[in-house]
């Protein structure tokens, strides 16, 4: 059975040639190597984790692999947020694979997938996640756009990345 990051990498490969989709959505698949590096070292409280703008789930897959390689904290619960309809079935597929793989390694991995507009959710929901992973879209916000109206609620209004970071800070346990 492939590792979760290897499986996610294979699923994400279908977007490698779709530059129009990537450009219009600010979507760039997190590379396996980058995801693994970001979660290396472990020691995180993963009891209430969020993956914001999860894409196909590479960061969560890397988190689960990190937990499996350690001896502590073999439980993880993650809420994965994604608003791109095209990605959600692929995200669910990767998470099902990750859950099966985790079970073979003695890791209790539970997850849920939420389709929401994160810019709205950041302002209308309260959470206290213990760990948040994200590879936010780096997309310039055009003036006089619907997106511009949504980002006016944030300190950073010129790109989505800044709005995501502000939302992440608001949703992190104090």
């Amino acid at each position: 059975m492939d590792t979760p990051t290897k499986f996610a990498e294979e699923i994400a490969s279908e977007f490698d040639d779709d530059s129009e989709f990537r450009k219009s959505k600010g979507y760039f698949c997190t590379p396996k190597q980058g995801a693994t590096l970001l979660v290396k070292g472990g020691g995180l409280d993963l009891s209430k984790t969020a993956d914001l703008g999860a894409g196909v789930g590479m960061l969560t897959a890397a988190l689960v692999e990190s937990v499996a390689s350690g001896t502590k904290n073999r439980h993880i619960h993650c809420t994965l947020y994604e608003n791109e309809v095209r990605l959600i079935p692929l995200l669910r597929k990767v998470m099902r694979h990750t859950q099966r793989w985790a079970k073979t390694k003695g890791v209790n991995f539970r997850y849920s997938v939420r389709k929401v507009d994160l810019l709205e959710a950041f302002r209308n929901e309260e959470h206290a996640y213990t760990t948040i992973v994200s590879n936010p879209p780096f997309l310039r916000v055009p003036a006089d756009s619907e997106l511009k109206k949504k980002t006016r609620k944030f300190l950073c209004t010129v790109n989505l990345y800044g709005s995501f970071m502000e939302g992440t800070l608001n949703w992190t346990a104090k």
Side-chain angles (χ1 to χ4, degrees):
M1 175 181 268
D2 283 341
T3 65
T5 55
K6 174 72 174 153
F7 188 77
E9 190 174 52
E10 290 170 10
I11 296 296
S13 68
E14 81 175 65
F15 294 101
D16 286 346
D17 295 330
D18 194 344
S19 61
E20 188 55 42
F21 173 75
R22 291 184 357 224
K23 183 179 176 184
S24 69
K25 302 294 182 180
Y27 177 76
F28 297 91
C29 298
T30 304
K32 176 183 171 183
Q33 297 83 357
T36 304
L37 181 63
L38 286 173
V39 300
K40 191 175 183 176
L44 301 170
D45 177 357
L46 304 173
S47 60
K48 190 175 180 190
T49 301
D51 187 340
L52 308 179
V56 299
M58 180 63 82
L59 289 171
T60 297
L63 269 179
V64 172
E65 285 180 24
S66 177
V67 168
S69 68
T71 57
K72 296 180 181 179
N73 194 6
R74 309 223 13 119
H75 302 277
I76 178 172
H77 181 268
C78 186
T79 303
L80 297 103
Y81 293 83
E82 180 55 56
N83 73 340
E84 181 55 51
V85 174
R86 183 174 166 186
L87 295 175
I88 291 175
L90 303 175
L91 174 59
R92 290 185 190 282
K93 186 175 184 177
V94 170
M95 289 303 103
R96 283 191 302 272
H97 177 86
T98 301
Q99 192 172 49
R100 286 191 301 271
W101 182 90
K103 188 174 183 178
T104 69
K105 303 296 182 186
V107 174
N108 179 12
F109 171 56
R110 295 178 300 129
Y111 71 92
S112 58
V113 175
R114 292 196 55 208
K115 183 198 176 300
V116 298
D117 179 335
L118 273 169
L119 294 178
E120 291 297 321
F122 284 144
R123 290 300 184 191
N124 298 318
E125 298 179 17
E126 290 187 24
H127 295 283
Y129 289 110
T130 56
T131 301
I132 297 178
V133 294
S134 183
N135 181 5
F138 195 82
L139 186 65
R140 189 176 63 81
V141 178
D144 300 324
S145 67
E146 251 338 277
L147 195 52
K148 187 67 165 185
K149 291 175 189 171
K150 289 181 182 182
T151 60
R152 283 195 179 116
K153 301 173 185 174
F154 297 89
L155 295 174
C156 180
T157 62
V158 295
N159 66 55
L160 285 183
Y161 192 90
S163 299
F164 262 69
M165 290 297 94
E166 184 179 339
T168 298
L169 289 172
N170 290 335
W171 278 10
T172 303
K174 303 299 178 221

